[in-house]
Amino acid sequence: MINIDVAMGLVRVTEAAALKGAKLMGRGDKSAADQAAVDGMESAFAMMPIRGTVVIGEGEMDEAPMLYIGQKVGSWEENMPEMDVAVDPVDGTVLIAKGLPNSIAVVAMGPKGSLLHAPDMYMKKIAVGAGAKGAIDINKSPKENITNVAKALNKDITELTIIVQERERHNYIVEQAREVGARVKLFGEGDVAAILACGFENTGIDLMIGTGGAPEGVIAAAAIKCMGGEMQAKLEPHTQEEIDRCKSMGIEDVDKVLTIDDLVNNEDVYFAATALTDSDLLKGVVFNRDNTATTHSVVMRSKTGTIRFVEAIHRLDITNLV
């Protein structure tokens, strides 16, 4: 049975990653920042009362020494629940290396078999918060989706804000958004943070459309599910090798529209995030003069709909930051 210790334990995991990774903000070395966050996250996982298996992580065992796909995490004590774990110690490694906003540490978790084992390839995504649930269709044009979301939210299109990653492949989305008069917010990296922002009205973000990493899509779907929103996705394999990889992971129909229940097929999943740098939703890590640091996090559970914002002050002279 999952308890509050597990939910708050997830926050400690993302906090540990953010505290370690944020020390390298603006140093220009994204690999070092990512590795520091991985170190922090793995150490914190050792204290989690779960029998967890990483299903989305830093890569295959031969590519990543820690938090690799298939790695066992948690205390693995008897009678602890078996859980799928999806991690991204730094969503936005370029951002933390440059000291830019929207770099966050994220974890999604659910009962064994609940998270889609997404291959590392591109995925087309569209996401909205609870207020526009039922208004999106990934097979429709951006223009149609923007119009339908505006109607669902009872907003004039000129008041609707769509968030899009600034990439050439997304030019058509930006063009159609501008044609109908919607507001467009561009971001450089970190589409988990962008999708997360859709679920909270106070961020001012109403809709996310774009193509990014498939593993990040599953993590973001866990957050949207916890918030009662909606997300749809389609894998976009570009080579026969990628098609074969999809099938080896149990995805026979690579053209299938993946609903949020395909991405996260359980009603009791968890999501936690801690900001390394300021995001639309959370304030980044602040290192204080008294050898402490302040973190801002969010943790959610889909079964109860509970969303907790956690502000924590950490003593940095304590070896165990969790």
Side-chain angles (χ1 to χ4, degrees), residues 291-312:
N291 203 31
T292 65
T294 305
T295 58
H296 291 83
S297 309
V298 61
V299 60
M300 302 180 263
R301 184 182 183 186
S302 63
K303 184 176 182 179
T304 60
T306 305
I307 299 172
R308 291 182 174 88
F309 287 92
V310 181
E311 179 178 352

Side-chain angles (χ1 to χ4, degrees), residues 212-226:
E216 292 84 354
V218 176
I219 295 173
I224 289 293
K225 189 156 197 170
C226 288

Side-chain angles (χ1 to χ4, degrees), residues 155-187:
K155 282 189 173 185
D156 189 277
I157 287 182
T158 60
E159 299 170 351
L160 192 87
T161 303
I162 174 175
I163 192 165
V164 184
Q165 190 175 23
E166 190 174 14
R167 294 290 186 271
E168 188 175 342
R169 64 179 178 269
H170 295 150
N171 286 350
Y172 78 101
I173 300 173
V174 175
E175 289 168 3
Q176 289 192 34
R178 289 172 176 168
E179 282 176 17
V180 296
R183 289 155 40 96
V184 178
K185 182 171 184 176
L186 298 174
F187 69 97

Side-chain angles (χ1 to χ4, degrees), residues 3-322:
N3 56 42
I4 189 65
D5 292 334
V6 173
M8 296 308 294
L10 272 191
V11 176
R12 297 184 183 103
V13 168
T14 55
E15 285 174 345
L19 285 165
K20 293 284 190 181
K23 283 245 179 171
L24 296 171
M25 186 190 81
R27 302 280 188 89
D29 190 340
K30 67 177 185 178
S31 296
D34 187 51
Q35 186 59 58
V38 170
D39 293 343
M41 185 171 278
E42 188 187 47
S43 296
F45 260 125
M47 301 177 66
M48 285 283 291
I50 60 168
R51 292 184 291 162
T53 301
V54 176
V55 296
I56 291 174
E58 292 291 281
E60 303 292 345
M61 188 187 303
D62 57 351
E63 299 170 354
M66 293 189 292
L67 297 180
Y68 56 82
I69 296 170
Q71 180 176 334
K72 304 301 182 184
V73 295
S75 61
W76 275 82
E77 297 171 25
E78 192 175 355
N79 298 323
M80 294 296 179
E82 284 198 62
M83 307 295 284
D84 280 355
V85 178
V87 305
D88 196 346
V90 182
D91 178 46
T93 54
V94 171
L95 301 176
I96 189 64
K98 293 183 176 181
L100 295 172
N102 284 331
S103 180
I104 62 173
V106 292
V107 174
M109 187 176 75
K112 184 178 179 180
S114 61
L115 303 181
L116 180 73
H117 296 195
D120 190 8
M121 64 179 61
Y122 278 116
M123 173 186 276
K124 185 177 180 182
K125 313 164 194 177
I126 182 168
V128 290
K133 188 174 182 178
I136 57 173
D137 184 339
I138 200 167
N139 287 324
K140 290 184 177 179
S141 68
K143 189 181 297 187
E144 290 175 287
N145 277 300
I146 291 167
T147 302
N148 291 336
V149 169
K151 288 178 181 176
L153 296 176
N154 195 28
K155 282 189 173 185
D156 189 277
I157 287 182
T158 60
E159 299 170 351
L160 192 87
T161 303
I162 174 175
I163 192 165
V164 184
Q165 190 175 23
E166 190 174 14
R167 294 290 186 271
E168 188 175 342
R169 64 179 178 269
H170 295 150
N171 286 350
Y172 78 101
I173 300 173
V174 175
E175 289 168 3
Q176 289 192 34
R178 289 172 176 168
E179 282 176 17
V180 296
R183 289 155 40 96
V184 178
K185 182 171 184 176
L186 298 174
F187 69 97
E189 302 281 345
D191 60 352
V192 176
I195 293 173
L196 181 61
C198 292
F200 293 91
E201 191 170 352
N202 63 354
T203 65
I205 308 298
D206 301 301
L207 170 66
M208 186 274 186
I209 307 177
T211 299
E216 292 84 354
V218 176
I219 295 173
I224 289 293
K225 189 156 197 170
C226 288
M227 293 182 283
E230 184 177 8
M231 180 172 166
Q232 295 176 11
K234 288 180 78 172
L235 290 168
E236 293 198 335
H238 292 150
T239 65
Q240 185 59 48
E241 182 181 356
E242 289 187 341
I243 293 173
D244 293 340
R245 179 152 175 73
C246 288
K247 293 184 176 179
S248 72
M249 297 178 79
I251 304 168
E252 290 295 330
D253 183 3
V254 295
D255 296 318
K256 178 184 177 181
V257 173
L258 300 169
T259 67
I260 197 162
D261 290 330
D262 293 316
L263 298 166
V264 181
N265 65 13
N266 193 283
E267 296 307 313
D268 195 8
V269 295
Y270 290 78
F271 173 88
T274 303
L276 282 80
T277 57
D278 292 353
S279 71
D280 290 311
L281 186 65
L282 301 167
K283 185 172 176 58
V285 177
V286 175
F287 292 97
N288 308 312
R289 63 181 176 83
D290 57 353
N291 203 31
T292 65
T294 305
T295 58
H296 291 83
S297 309
V298 61
V299 60
M300 302 180 263
R301 184 182 183 186
S302 63
K303 184 176 182 179
T304 60
T306 305
I307 299 172
R308 291 182 174 88
F309 287 92
V310 181
E311 179 178 352
I313 298 174
H314 309 263
R315 280 182 53 190
L316 299 180
D317 59 342
I318 304 290
T319 303
N320 188 349
L321 293 174
V322 300

